[in-house]
Amino acid sequence: MKRIYLDYAATCPVDKRVLKEMLPFFSEKYGNTGSLHSFGQEAKIALEKARERIADLIFAQTEEIIFTSSATESNNLILKGLLKKNDHLIISCIEHPCIKETAKFLKTKGVLVTELKIDKQGFVKDLEKSIKKNTALISIIHASNEIGVVQDIEKISKVAKRNKILFHTDAAQSFGKIPINVKNIDFLTASSHKIYGPKGAALLYIKKGLKINPLLHGGGQEQGLRSSTVNIPAIVGFGKAAEIAKKEIQEDYKKQIKLRNKIITQALKIKACYLNGDQNKRLANNINLRFSNIEGEALTMKLDLEGIAVSTGSACASTKLEPSYVLLALGLKPQEAHGSLRISLGKYTREQEIDYFLKILSQSVKELRKLSPFK
Amino acid sequence: MNYSKKIIDHFKNPRNYGKIKKPSAVGQVGNKVCGDVMKIYLKIENDIIKDIKFETLGCLVAIANTSLLTTLVKGKTIKQALKIKKEDLVKKFGKIPSIKIHCSFLAVEALKKAIENYYEKSTNSHVRRNR
């Protein structure tokens, strides 16, 4: 059976050009970046080249890029490394769990947290109203991992600046997919495996002059902010992936937005099918659909049996049975959230795959509705 | 996900789904908020379940389990049907992720509720007749 991958928001395959760049760094150029000899030097050169390529993509300076192992780590690093007791933190209610849970942890350490609500389209609201005298950081996700809605971070960063508050954005889903300029951003999180790089590499951008504390103490790698032997193969891959993204960002965007809009238009023709999140200000690769009177996990499994990989909007399939908090925040009822599906496209997605997917989707929805006690 | 062939088969080709036009009894459990709703229709003659149909809003396990249950119950007496335990379905299907076990319990609960409904109806009609 042919398999169709439509879950690029979860992770991506490694681009073959990326893999090629990485391979020598496993068994040939395996030096430690901290060593003085030629092995160490070639590793160090590769590390700095990767840093340049990444800095170039977001208009940063090289020394502003700190490599970590995951977006989760970067998000933990910025929140835990910056905030102290009695500081006030503003996040949104649709942050990824690695921000939400870290904020929850910091609450136990005396940090005060405000979660901004979102409107029916998925945009954060009431930011200015929530600012307090002791607000130390605003951290807002750039593009939602579930509904793909892209927040106006230019506007948010201006509000932060005007109030002399630092601004962080989790750009794991948007980095390399839409142009980002860090000029008005103090901290930014991005990840390698969402842009066709390997898993195990990510970054935290820290604007020059800003100081935070590390999570890991040790040998002092990454300007003392991330002690650990540097994961050179993964970082080299991340750098190459960023270089490719810089070149191909426009072309990928155009191609994906066409496919995305095709899916939205066609899917909305299915009876009682709705789009979750704003139709226009969303990632070119994200579609989040909702179907009345069927359950998202059953639909995901039905598609999987036909070789199509998508993700359920509801968290039912994973460890929790509660519906997605992002969808509930949009104002959906639990039963509506349970009937949701996330489809995320990538640069390897082809139009024939989308046609096949749409055919199977409408068929599967029909079949599940036949079984449902609610019509 | 690694479900057994049997569970996948019941999910792909559910047996006995739909409605019974004039059922002897109906049982429904679950609610839309938690995501799973199961409805079982029974046609009972002389204490024998002549026909059973189901409708399920729920996940793969929920759908497959109700389907499996209907095949176990059809043609059996009410007494036999009541003997089916929640654990029996889990055994028949082999491994189910532990978080999904409650979904399989709902099917048995819906059946019990339908049988209760049958008893209620027949008691009521006795009462009516005796008046």
Side-chain angles (χ1 to χ4, degrees):
Chain A
M1 185 171 55
K2 59 175 172 184
R3 295 202 301 164
I4 297 176
Y5 188 75
L6 298 175
D7 200 15
Y8 282 84
T11 194
C12 304
V14 171
D15 187 306
K16 290 203 168 64
R17 292 166 288 179
V18 169
L19 181 64
K20 198 179 158 205
E21 190 104 351
M22 289 170 68
L23 284 174
F25 292 91
F26 286 99
S27 303
E28 293 161 39
K29 304 179 180 180
Y30 48 81
N32 186 325
T33 51
S35 302
L36 292 176
H37 45 64
S38 64
F39 292 87
Q41 285 166 23
E42 65 190 2
K44 179 77 178 158
I45 288 168
L47 171 65
E48 295 315 320
K49 188 173 166 193
R51 208 185 302 278
E52 267 167 39
R53 283 169 162 175
I54 286 165
D56 192 38
L57 178 58
I58 53 174
F59 306 95
Q61 297 178 34
T62 47
E63 63 269 34
E64 295 175 319
I65 306 292
I66 301 297
F67 286 117
T68 64
S69 68
S70 64
T72 296
E73 188 193 330
S74 297
N75 284 340
N76 270 263
L77 175 57
I78 180 56
L79 296 194
K80 292 176 184 166
L82 181 78
L83 298 166
K84 47 188 197 309
K85 200 175 170 183
N86 297 325
D87 278 346
H88 178 232
L89 164 69
I90 297 176
I91 61 172
S92 79
C93 61
I94 58 164
E95 296 303 313
H96 188 276
C98 60
I99 289 281
K100 261 185 121 102
E101 291 300 314
T102 305
K104 207 166 127 192
F105 168 77
L106 287 173
K107 263 191 194 174
T108 69
K109 301 288 174 196
V111 172
L112 306 153
V113 181
T114 301
E115 266 193 20
L116 300 180
K117 293 203 166 67
I118 54 169
D119 61 21
K120 285 208 157 85
Q121 259 57 54
F123 301 107
V124 293
K125 51 182 194 182
D126 302 335
L127 171 63
E128 297 212 47
K129 272 193 239 166
S130 308
I131 292 171
K132 297 180 184 177
K133 268 189 182 160
N134 57 340
T135 305
L137 182 71
I138 297 168
S139 176
I140 304 290
I141 192 165
H142 188 196
S144 164
N145 51 309
E146 282 196 43
I147 52 176
V149 170
V150 181
Q151 304 294 334
D152 188 347
I153 53 169
E154 262 319 297
K155 202 168 134 198
I156 296 170
S157 69
K158 273 179 196 154
V159 173
K161 210 168 203 176
R162 206 184 316 130
N163 290 279
K164 297 195 175 68
I165 300 166
L166 296 172
F167 173 54
H168 166 251
T169 187
D170 173 2
Q173 292 289 345
S174 55
F175 178 83
K177 301 199 187 93
I178 44 182
I180 295 174
N181 188 327
V182 289
K183 190 170 165 248
N184 294 318
I185 298 170
D186 298 304
F187 310 104
L188 177 142
T189 292
S191 181
S192 156
H193 74 113
K194 307 285 193 201
I195 62 161
Y196 311 91
K199 292 154 187 75
L203 69 87
L204 179 66
Y205 160 83
I206 303 177
K207 189 170 279 318
K208 211 174 178 177
L210 296 173
K211 293 271 174 286
I212 64 167
N213 289 315
L215 293 179
L216 305 176
H217 297 86
Q221 287 90 343
E222 299 296 298
Q223 301 172 52
L225 283 172
R226 213 282 181 167
S227 288
S228 286
T229 301
V230 178
N231 184 356
I232 280 293
I235 290 170
V236 163
F238 189 10
K240 183 68 184 174
E243 187 200 53
I244 295 170
K246 177 115 189 168
K247 267 187 231 147
E248 301 177 357
I249 195 165
Q250 293 299 341
E251 183 194 327
D252 289 346
Y253 184 86
K254 271 187 211 152
K255 202 181 119 196
Q256 285 170 36
I257 213 156
K258 197 176 141 230
L259 296 177
R260 181 198 78 182
N261 291 345
K262 180 171 188 173
I263 293 179
I264 294 175
T265 314
Q266 293 300 318
L268 293 186
K269 286 181 187 163
I270 298 173
K271 202 180 136 200
C273 168
Y274 311 91
L275 181 71
N276 293 326
D278 191 77
Q279 180 152 358
N280 301 312
K281 287 181 188 161
R282 70 190 302 140
L283 291 172
N285 72 331
N286 174 292
I287 303 113
N288 194 308
L289 298 170
R290 173 171 102 244
F291 301 90
S292 302
N293 299 328
I294 56 173
E295 209 266 338
E297 196 235 351
L299 185 54
T300 303
M301 293 308 293
K302 236 181 163 34
L303 294 169
D304 187 47
L305 291 171
E306 301 294 335
I308 299 165
V310 297
S311 164
T312 155
S314 114
C316 186
S318 57
T319 49
K320 291 176 204 153
L321 293 166
E322 289 97 46
S324 141
Y325 60 82
V326 173
L327 296 178
L328 294 182
L330 275 178
L332 299 189
K333 295 183 186 128
Q335 60 265 36
E336 293 172 325
H338 277 304
S340 293
L341 201 69
R342 181 187 75 183
I343 301 119
S344 48
L345 316 175
K347 64 180 179 184
Y348 303 120
T349 307
R350 287 174 303 136
E351 187 153 10
Q352 299 102 286
E353 294 180 316
I354 295 308
D355 293 338
Y356 178 73
F357 160 71
L358 284 166
K359 190 181 120 203
I360 301 294
L361 176 71
S362 101
Q363 203 175 301
S364 301
V365 169
K366 246 183 234 160
E367 282 172 23
L368 287 173
R369 279 189 176 149
K370 265 191 214 159
L371 299 179
S372 174
F374 307 99
K375 308 289 177 196
Chain B
M1 226 163 286
N2 292 320
Y3 289 112
S4 69
K5 272 190 183 156
K6 193 163 180 179
I7 206 165
I8 296 291
D9 178 41
H10 273 273
F11 174 63
K12 275 178 108 167
N13 312 297
R15 331 290 202 257
N16 304 311
Y17 73 87
K19 283 184 171 70
I20 293 177
K21 266 195 179 164
K22 284 181 185 166
S24 316
V26 181
Q28 183 174 326
V29 293
N31 60 67
K32 271 181 143 187
V33 175
C34 86
D36 283 334
V37 180
M38 282 179 208
K39 200 167 180 182
I40 282 185
Y41 301 82
L42 295 174
K43 185 94 194 161
I44 297 173
E45 280 170 27
N46 302 323
D47 275 359
I48 289 170
I49 298 173
K50 285 274 176 196
D51 198 8
I52 177 167
K53 288 255 155 67
F54 82 92
E55 289 174 320
T56 293
L57 163 68
C59 63
L60 176 148
V61 173
I63 290 169
N65 259 286
T66 352
S67 166
L68 174 69
L69 181 71
T70 62
T71 64
L72 297 178
V73 162
K74 203 169 177 177
K76 299 274 161 65
T77 64
I78 293 179
K79 232 182 173 178
Q80 285 167 322
L82 282 172
K83 275 189 189 151
I84 293 172
K85 291 201 183 67
K86 296 166 179 178
E87 298 76 27
D88 296 341
L89 291 182
V90 179
K91 263 185 228 158
K92 287 220 180 263
F93 267 150
K95 269 199 174 161
I96 293 176
S98 57
I99 194 144
K100 290 287 175 187
I101 292 206
H102 86 282
C103 314
S104 51
F105 288 179
L106 281 176
V108 178
E109 278 167 26
L111 174 66
K112 291 230 161 93
K113 217 155 182 192
I115 293 173
E116 270 168 35
N117 177 245
Y118 174 70
Y119 281 138
E120 273 166 31
K121 273 186 170 176
S122 45
T123 335
N124 287 345
S125 58
H126 277 302
V127 175
R128 270 199 296 275
R129 249 178 271 150
N130 293 343
R131 271 180 199 163

